[in-house]
Amino acid sequence: QVQVEESGGGLVQPGGSLRLSCTVARIILSTFNGNSWAWYRQAPGKERELVATVSSAGDTNYADSVKGRFTITRDRQRKRVYLQMSSLIPEDTATYYCSTRMYYDNVDYWGQGTQVTVSS
């Protein structure tokens, strides 16, 4: 069973920063490296939207709304994927979800989500 785990959400003031972390329990390095990874978010009353992705080759893509403010990275040593969020604005308030696509069957797995609230 693939268990995606996110952490790092919380309450932050506008202009602040947070770092979200994602991993899969007991994932082996070859799987971690072969998978693609993504962060999504969903605000109340809105559809889930793609925030950032990183491919197995390390290519990254971002939603226009977060370009220049958010950075997705992979840490192979820790087998974790991070979403560094800076210059946060209230519109970034949402539940953030990590997703990974298994390289060997293209099945996507999702975490339970972590809440990010940007408010003064």
Side-chain angles (χ1 to χ4, degrees):
Q1 184 178 357
V2 178
Q3 185 174 349
V4 180
E5 301 170 341
E6 306 114 329
S7 61
L11 173 64
V12 62
Q13 291 187 345
S17 299
L18 275 177
R19 188 179 74 165
L20 305 182
S21 176
C22 173
T23 190
V24 170
R26 299 177 296 280
I27 192 170
I28 61 175
L29 185 58
S30 60
T31 300
F32 178 83
N33 289 338
N35 285 5
S36 58
W37 300 80
W39 286 97
Y40 289 76
R41 67 185 181 186
Q42 186 167 20
K46 295 188 177 182
E47 293 186 355
R48 188 173 296 189
E49 65 170 338
L50 180 63
V51 175
T53 64
V54 58
S55 72
S56 58
D59 299 322
T60 58
N61 280 288
Y62 299 92
D64 288 342
S65 58
V66 306
K67 279 181 182 176
R69 300 189 299 121
F70 290 12
T71 303
I72 186 170
T73 56
R74 293 181 302 177
D75 184 333
R76 288 189 171 87
Q77 184 172 9
R78 292 179 172 81
K79 291 179 280 185
R80 288 186 171 271
V81 174
Y82 299 104
L83 184 69
Q84 178 67 48
M85 305 185 294
S86 303
S87 302
L88 285 161
I89 59 177
E91 290 75 16
D92 294 320
T93 295
T95 300
Y96 284 72
Y97 298 89
C98 178
S99 175
T100 188
R101 176 167 294 178
M102 294 300 180
Y103 72 92
Y104 47 79
D105 61 7
N106 287 327
V107 174
D108 294 331
Y109 293 88
W110 296 80
Q112 294 296 309
T114 185
Q115 178 66 37
V116 172
T117 302
V118 184
S119 175
S120 56

